[in-house]
Amino acid sequence: MLSFAENTFSVKNNMKSFFKEDPSFVLNTNCLNFCEHQTKFSVRNWFETHGKKGRKVPRGNVGTVFSRFETPSNVKITVIGGGSFGTAMSKVFGMKGYQVCLLVRDRNIVDGINQERRNPKYLREFTLPHSVFATSNVESALEGTQLVVHALPVQVSREVLERVAPFIPTGVPVLSTSKGLEVASHKFMFELLQETVSNHGNRRPLAFLSGPSFAKEIMQELPTAVVVACENLEIAGQIAAMLSSSIFKVFTTTDFIGVEVAGALKNIIAIAAGMAEGMGLGMNAIAGLVTRGCSEMRRVAEFLGGSSVTLSGLSGVGDTFLTCFGPLSRNRTVGYRLGKGESLNEILTTSQEVAEGVATAKAVVEWLPAVLNTTYTRALVRFPILLSVAPILEGKLTPEEGMQQLMAMPPTVED
């Protein structure tokens, strides 16, 4: 349904053409018909039911509710997480004129943003738009919000999401920017969100943002291109329209599986690429490592039901290239320092921000063989890069031994 003033219109099949004529419609709190058709699932259940075909997403009769607002300043967006990317997302929405509430625990960050328009801990050299404000109060942060953006590290997400879930208005979509695999449960963010904020009692649309996007470059207002994935392409399109500007280009897809898998596994590849660089192995080795890593990542995603198109796009090779070669990459930096001879403990204790690939690499060693219903040794033959990083992080192999292990693999057909 669409509502403006006192008139209400039913818009379903002709939704795309309607919004093309009037782009001033923005996402509202009620996506109820869509939510009724969502199905809770876990990766492990897919293979028992569908095997390599992956998950079949139910496509019900979707009648999303939107409302018309005179200006974006009437729309409230809540960003959970005051780290680098949460701050950057606040700026992207704030530059469009939306009222952005940044929910953070640190009172110093709250005061810095509200008083000086700066995050005093992350990217403090940049100012934020005046429509961005911060709070530590969960209830006030989520009251009346029409879009929730989750921008916290995966390993702390479940605890926070369980705490804030009761305060998120019914039907309000959640957009996740987090990338990785939860160590304790071996679950992706879409599974965590299903279990916490979109459970049986309150179905809501879930969307996922990914792509080559360093937070610092977003804050510098340098051109950036990302993709938003959602089962419902209309909802993905509405979120994309809210984000898009002359410096922030947003594409859409329904393949949230491919986007999530690529977002998690590319960080492992980046650690491996950083190690190769730190050891001074040259660009031939790094390029070969990244290319074969992308092949492994694609095969995992396709096995789970993701699309090879997604893996060759912004959230796949695009984000992988940035993370593997970009000087601002946290995961590449971890690998580089390991390659130079530092211990993981030294690296982590001197790092201000989280490198998601460290936890994800350790989780994948247990998760991937289980998903493939095979042993670690057998899986290692097919996925030597994804499964060789964790033993190095844990001190079971040196970076040199890990590279020797890769080079000792028998010849095989390129796939």
Side-chain angles (χ1 to χ4, degrees):
M1 305 289 288
L2 291 169
S3 61
F4 40 144
E6 298 178 354
N7 300 317
T8 302
F9 303 87
S10 176
V11 180
K12 293 185 179 181
N13 296 329
N14 62 337
M15 190 176 292
K16 285 186 178 179
S17 60
F18 189 93
F19 286 116
K20 191 173 294 183
E21 295 172 4
D22 190 344
S24 64
F25 284 88
V26 296
L27 208 56
N28 187 263
T29 59
N30 300 304
C31 302
L32 301 179
N33 288 350
F34 165 74
C35 298
E36 289 172 0
H37 289 91
Q38 277 193 310
T39 302
K40 186 175 180 180
F41 60 93
S42 70
V43 170
R44 278 167 288 243
N45 292 336
W46 301 348
F47 309 109
E48 296 175 4
T49 306
H50 303 292
K52 291 187 179 182
K53 293 180 181 180
R55 174 174 176 263
K56 300 296 184 183
V57 178
R59 303 292 182 189
N61 183 23
V62 179
T64 307
V65 178
F66 293 87
S67 290
R68 183 175 183 170
F69 298 87
E70 293 180 1
T71 64
S73 62
N74 291 328
V75 181
K76 180 182 179 181
I77 297 170
T78 302
V79 178
I80 301 176
S84 293
F85 208 79
T87 303
M89 291 301 294
S90 297
K91 179 168 183 176
V92 171
F93 282 112
M95 289 176 64
K96 294 289 296 287
Y98 296 104
Q99 291 296 312
V100 182
C101 179
L102 199 58
L103 176 60
V104 296
R105 291 183 299 179
D106 192 328
R107 285 297 311 176
N108 290 329
I109 293 179
V110 172
D111 293 339
I113 291 174
N114 292 340
Q115 297 172 15
E116 301 178 8
R117 319 307 316 155
R118 297 177 188 273
N119 185 326
K121 189 173 182 180
Y122 302 99
L123 302 169
R124 55 183 174 271
E125 65 269 35
F126 301 101
T127 58
L128 291 166
H130 287 284
S131 61
V132 176
F133 60 100
T135 183
S136 296
N137 186 292
V138 174
E139 186 172 1
S140 65
L142 293 167
E143 183 180 8
T145 193
Q146 284 150 332
L147 176 65
V148 174
V149 181
H150 179 77
L152 288 172
V154 172
Q155 306 312 320
V156 301
S157 289
R158 184 184 293 276
E159 178 186 354
V160 174
L161 288 170
E162 288 176 345
R163 183 161 56 90
V164 304
F167 300 97
I168 303 176
T170 302
V172 166
V174 175
L175 172 66
S176 172
T177 67
S178 306
K179 303 170 184 176
L181 200 65
E182 187 182 43
V183 172
S185 66
H186 300 163
K187 292 184 178 181
F188 289 95
M189 275 305 304
F190 62 82
E191 296 174 286
L192 298 189
L193 289 168
Q194 287 270 354
E195 294 177 0
T196 54
V197 300
S198 187
N199 52 32
H200 289 297
N202 184 15
R203 295 293 187 194
R204 67 177 74 254
L206 304 177
F208 307 87
L209 182 146
S210 190
S213 49
F214 283 146
K216 183 175 182 179
E217 293 191 5
I218 295 174
M219 296 296 286
Q220 290 174 308
E221 301 181 24
L222 297 175
T224 300
V226 298
V227 62
V228 168
C230 182
E231 283 185 354
N232 183 309
L233 199 59
E234 282 78 20
I235 293 176
Q238 287 300 308
I239 294 174
M242 296 170 75
L243 283 163
S244 294
S245 69
S246 60
I247 60 170
F248 202 79
K249 175 68 175 177
V250 186
F251 294 82
T252 60
T253 180
T254 57
D255 183 21
F256 65 92
I257 298 172
V259 167
E260 281 277 271
V261 171
L265 300 187
K266 57 93 181 178
N267 289 328
I268 303 175
I269 302 169
I271 293 176
M275 282 191 282
E277 184 181 355
M279 289 187 288
L281 299 183
M283 291 306 300
N284 288 354
I286 298 172
L289 192 66
V290 172
T291 303
R292 292 306 302 161
C294 286
S295 174
E296 294 182 19
M297 181 173 70
R298 172 184 53 77
R299 282 183 271 125
V300 173
E302 288 180 331
F303 187 88
L304 298 180
S307 168
S308 60
V309 173
T310 303
L311 274 291
S312 64
L314 290 167
S315 63
V317 295
D319 207 2
T320 303
F321 290 168
L322 183 77
T323 310
C324 290
F325 301 116
L328 299 176
S329 169
R330 290 169 288 187
N331 292 284
R332 169 192 163 275
T333 299
V334 168
Y336 181 83
R337 294 175 66 179
L338 284 169
K340 286 293 187 181
E342 293 186 62
S343 70
L344 181 61
N345 184 59
E346 290 175 322
I347 296 168
L348 297 182
T349 55
T350 56
S351 300
Q352 185 180 24
E353 297 186 85
V354 177
E356 289 278 16
V358 174
T360 301
K362 296 177 181 179
V364 163
V365 167
E366 297 179 356
W367 170 79
L368 187 54
V371 163
L372 299 174
N373 193 28
T374 188
T375 64
Y376 170 80
T377 303
R378 288 180 177 272
L380 184 64
V381 176
R382 289 283 288 157
F383 303 95
I385 296 171
L386 293 177
L387 295 177
S388 292
V389 171
I392 297 173
L393 295 174
E394 294 169 349
K396 298 176 182 178
L397 291 175
T398 66
E400 291 78 13
E401 290 170 339
M403 181 56 68
Q404 290 170 6
Q405 181 174 284
L406 286 176
M407 296 303 291
M409 289 286 179
T412 184
V413 176
E414 186 176 36
D415 54 2

